[in-house]
Amino acid sequence: MTERLVEGMSGRWAVRTASGAEYVVDLDARTVRRHCVGAKPAPGHALVGLRRDREPVMLVAVEHIEIGRPARLVLRGVASDQATVTCRVTTPVVTIEPADGEADDDWCQSTHGARTPLAELLADPTRCYAAGCPAENEILVHLGPDAFADLCLDHARATVARSAFVLTCDCSFCRRARADLLGL
């Protein structure tokens, strides 16, 4: 096991996060594939579906991958136009190990041995995360130190307008939300 991954390293790595997700980071092929591995999420974290789960996307840059901290990955191919660059921030990284094979894409196996179909665990990764909203998700909103939600523009505007966190945080997600949604 290693403590961190940085640009210039090589190999294929399984990066598991507090949500129970696993990112297979291939530093040689420059791809990332997110899987559900079924580890029970750590307290305060939840496993949610994200756009392009189980699909390889291009790794543009590794901003940060270190045990105990959220990973920051710059990706291309997450958005439908294939040209947009996305910065994905994970829940805190729990382990970083050499990746041996592909993760089981159809099932999650908990640490207690129970197997659950992915469809029962993950929300529709292309839909707004607001309960009952059928709209396509359009923007990732930073809700708190380790909390994000992929929302439609209407729910994003309402969330950002009442969030002191988004109004004061200086990360790229919050700056974009203030500019795109509030005109600030």
Side-chain angles (χ1 to χ4, degrees):
M1 184 165 66
T2 188
E3 293 290 316
R4 74 174 51 97
L5 298 178
V6 296
E7 286 293 346
M9 291 178 73
S10 63
R12 222 166 142 257
W13 299 90
V15 177
R16 291 197 180 170
T17 67
S19 70
E22 177 181 272
Y23 291 80
V24 177
V25 179
D26 191 326
L27 296 172
D28 301 321
R30 304 298 294 175
T31 60
V32 173
R33 186 185 300 239
R34 183 179 184 266
H35 300 275
C36 170
V37 294
K40 185 176 179 180
H45 298 283
L47 183 62
V48 297
L50 298 177
R51 229 178 313 192
R52 305 288 183 243
D53 271 356
R54 303 180 322 226
E55 298 176 31
V57 294
M58 182 190 304
L59 176 63
V60 176
V62 172
E63 284 191 7
H64 187 88
I65 301 177
E66 183 177 355
I67 291 177
R69 298 184 58 195
R72 290 177 54 100
L73 304 166
V74 180
L75 308 170
R76 185 180 310 277
V78 174
S80 58
D81 65 13
Q82 299 295 312
T84 301
V85 173
T86 301
C87 182
R88 182 164 286 175
V89 179
T90 71
T91 57
V93 173
V94 177
T95 62
I96 303 170
E97 300 174 333
D100 47 6
E102 289 298 322
D104 185 346
D105 282 345
D106 297 320
W107 294 86
C108 284
Q109 184 159 351
S110 74
T111 55
H112 303 293
R115 287 173 52 88
T116 307
L118 273 178
E120 292 179 20
L121 294 175
L122 301 177
D124 183 344
T126 64
R127 297 288 163 229
C128 177
Y129 285 13
C133 182
E136 180 85 9
N137 58 25
E138 299 178 69
I139 188 167
L140 186 68
V141 177
H142 194 183
L143 304 173
D146 290 324
F148 291 83
D150 231 346
L151 301 170
C152 68
L153 289 178
D154 289 338
H155 282 110
R157 278 189 193 95
T159 300
V160 169
R162 67 176 187 266
S163 170
F165 183 85
V166 172
L167 296 174
T168 58
C169 179
D170 196 39
C171 77
S172 60
F173 294 106
C174 291
R175 287 193 308 268
R176 177 179 175 214
R178 288 191 299 268
D180 291 355
L181 302 172
L182 302 177
L184 300 176

